[in-house]
Amino acid sequence: MTSSSPTTLLRALRDLDLPDHPEAVVVDGRALSRAGLREVAVAFASRLPDAGPVAVCAEPTLETVVAVSGCLLAGVPVVPVPPDAGPAETAHVVTDSGATCWAGPRRDGVDLPLVEVPTAPTAGDRGVDLPEPVAETETAIVLYTSGTTGAPKGVVLSHRALRTGIEGLADAWGWTGDDVVAHGLPLFHTHGLVLGVLGSLHLGSRVVHTGRPTPQAYAATPATVYFGVPTVWTRVARDPEAARALSGARLLVSGSAPLPVPVFERLRELTGHALVERYGMTETMITLSTRADGERRPGWVGLPVGEARTRLRAEDGGEVPADGETVGRLEVSGPMLFDGYLNLPETTAEVLGSDGWFATGDLAVVDADGFHRIVGRESVDLIKSGGYRIGAGEIETSLLALPEVQEVAVLGLPDEDLGQRIVAYAVVAPDDADDALAARMVEHVAADLSWHKRPREVRFVPSLPRNAMGKVQKKLMLDVPG
C-alpha cells in the first residue's frame, strides 16, 4: 500500500447508501443512526482548530464515539485518555502526544483548548462536507499502554493497521453488517474502542455499549456477538440466568487475557457456545484467534488472523518445533502492526526489527495445525488484571513518592476473578506498617495513576530479595507469604 492510497477506515460510516438503523450506535441507552453519527462527527471535525492530535477523555459515552469518529474521518490523530487517569498520567499523555486540543469533560491540570462535542446537529452544522480521506499510512490513533517500567508509551497505529486488523477479524469471525455487537468495555483501548466501536462502524454492524459490563447488562441486550474479558465472562458464568440469556447469540468472544478453562467449560454448559478466544496487543491489533467456522479449543488462541504472520523463536534465535509443547518467544509481522512508540525510537528498535517482525514479549507454543497457546510473559512485570495490561514499574514509581515507602515491588498474583491482582510488597519503618498506611498507598495510586492500577493488597516485608547487581528478584517473591 503506497502512501498515496486513501484510507477506507470506517467504510460503513462513510457510505450512506448502506442500510442504516435508528439505533446503529447505542451507548448506555443513548442512540444515533449511522447517518446521524456521521453528521455530528463531521460537525465536530469542522470545529477542530488544527490538525491535532486531539486528546479525548474517553468516557463510555456517545460523545466519545462522536469525537473519535470525527477525528478519524478528518484524518486527525486521536489520543484516547482513560477517564480514571490521575493528574500525573493525564499530564504525561497530553504532553507526550503533543495534543493541541481536548474533547470531553474538563480535567484538572489540562490547559488545552476545549472543543465541544455535539450529539445532535445544529443549524450551523448542516451541510458540512465530509473531509477528504487521508493516506492509509497516516496516523489514526495513539493508544497509551503500560510497559514494564516507566510511564505509559504511546503506540502509534495507522489507518491501514486498524483497517487490516478489523477486516482480518471479519473473516475469522464471519462478522458482517447483519451482526449486532454488544459489550461494556472501556473506550480507551483496543478491545472496546477499536474492535467494538470502530470495527462495527467499518463493517456496518450495529453496536450497543452496555455502560458497564455486568452479567445483567449483557443479558438485557439482544445481540449476535458479545465481547468480554475473562473477568466479565467469569462473572457471567457465576450467574446462570444471565448466561443462559446469551444462548441465542452467534458468537461469544473473549480476549485481553487468558480465559480460565473452567470458565470456558461452564459457559459452554450454560450457553451452548464454545467461546472464541483471541490474542493480540495494542501494538499488533488481534493477530491470533479461533474461528467462527473452526475448532475452539479451551486455553488456545487459534490461528493467525488475516494477513498476520507469527513465528516462535528459541533463546538462540532458532525456530521452535510445532509440537504443541516446546515454548518459544512469540513474534508477529503484518500490516496491522504499529508504526512505533511515540518519541521513543530506541525503545521501538528493541522490539520492532528492520525485517518487520515484532517481539511480543509473550511465550507460546504452536502445534502441527498452527494452533497457538500463550503460556506467559518473559517478564513478570506486566500485569493483566480485569482485562487491563498494567506495568508494575509505574505503580512502583508512584508508591515511592510516599515518604514512608522505602522500597517497593509490585507483582501480579493469580486471582480467580481478575486473572491477576496487583499486590505491592513494601519496605517501611516497623512503626508505619499498619492498615492505615496500606489504605493510603492504595488511594494514592488510584488518584495519581488510575483506579484500575491500584494495588488490591499491600504486604509489608522487612526487605526485598536482590541479586549481586542490586536488582529485585521478583520471581523469588512469588513464594513470599501474605
Side-chain angles (χ1 to χ4, degrees), residues 74-332:
V76 175
V78 60
V79 183
V81 180
D84 66 345
E89 184 170 338
T90 300
H92 169 72
V93 170
V94 168
T95 302
D96 186 66
S97 67
T100 60
C101 61
W102 178 271
R106 280 284 192 188
R107 299 293 297 275
D108 291 341
V110 176
D111 185 21
L112 290 174
L114 177 67
V115 182
E116 295 292 339
V117 183
T119 55
T122 65
D125 293 330
R126 298 188 186 280
V128 179
D129 292 333
L130 185 69
E132 289 294 321
V134 299
E136 279 215 312
T137 51
E138 291 294 318
T139 297
I141 195 166
V142 181
L143 291 170
Y144 277 79
T145 182
S146 296
T148 57
T149 59
K153 301 185 292 292
V155 176
V156 180
L157 290 159
S158 68
H159 288 260
R160 182 190 184 202
L162 299 189
R163 178 186 62 79
T164 55
I166 290 167
E167 290 176 357
L169 290 178
D171 173 70
W173 297 346
W175 185 2
T176 72
D178 294 328
D179 279 307
V180 178
V181 174
H183 74 88
L185 303 173
L187 296 185
F188 53 87
H189 62 27
T190 304
H191 198 166
L193 178 61
V194 177
L195 303 188
V197 175
L198 303 184
S200 298
L201 294 177
H202 184 71
L203 300 170
S205 58
R206 292 180 55 216
V207 58
V208 180
H209 192 284
T210 60
R212 298 188 64 188
T214 64
Q216 297 74 26
Y218 276 36
T221 305
T224 62
V225 179
Y226 293 84
F227 290 168
V229 298
T231 300
V232 173
W233 292 124
T234 298
R235 293 169 183 171
V236 171
R238 293 172 180 167
D239 188 332
E241 184 178 353
R244 293 188 184 100
L246 308 185
S247 60
R250 188 175 67 81
L251 288 179
L252 307 181
V253 180
S254 181
S256 297
L259 180 71
V261 172
V263 176
F264 180 103
E265 299 293 2
R266 178 60 172 160
L267 286 171
R268 177 156 55 184
E269 175 188 341
L270 291 170
T271 67
H273 289 287
L275 270 70
V276 166
E277 295 186 66
R278 88 301 185 282
Y279 164 85
M281 301 176 66
T282 306
E283 293 90 338
T284 68
M285 294 286 288
I286 306 307
T287 52
L288 294 164
S289 181
T290 53
R291 295 181 60 90
D293 58 359
E295 179 186 4
R296 302 176 208 173
R297 191 186 308 170
W300 292 71
V301 291
L303 304 163
V305 168
E307 300 178 60
R309 294 182 296 158
T310 63
R311 67 186 186 190
L312 299 185
R313 287 289 182 262
E315 288 188 6
D316 62 4
E319 291 190 13
V320 169
D323 57 10
E325 295 181 2
T326 306
V327 175
R329 293 168 171 164
L330 177 63
E331 298 183 356
V332 175

Side-chain angles (χ1 to χ4, degrees), residues 375-424:
V375 299
R377 292 288 300 175
E378 287 192 79
S379 169
V380 296
D381 287 327
L382 191 63
I383 302 169
K384 293 185 176 182
S385 182
Y388 294 99
R389 293 163 51 83
I390 302 164
E394 63 175 327
I395 301 174
E396 291 164 353
T397 299
S398 178
L399 287 172
L400 286 170
L402 294 173
E404 296 89 348
V405 178
Q406 301 169 12
E407 297 180 84
V408 67
V410 171
L411 283 79
L413 300 187
D415 187 275
E416 184 176 294
D417 185 32
L418 298 169
Q420 289 182 304
R421 71 182 185 279
I422 300 170
V423 179

Side-chain angles (χ1 to χ4, degrees), residues 461-476:
V461 293
S463 63
L464 302 179
R466 297 180 181 272
N467 63 13
M469 299 298 292
K471 184 176 180 180
V472 176
Q473 300 294 283
K474 289 190 175 182
K475 290 182 180 179
L476 299 179

Side-chain angles (χ1 to χ4, degrees), residues 355-369:
D355 57 358
W357 285 91
F358 172 72
T360 66
D362 282 312
L363 303 174
V365 301
V366 62
D367 69 10
D369 297 321

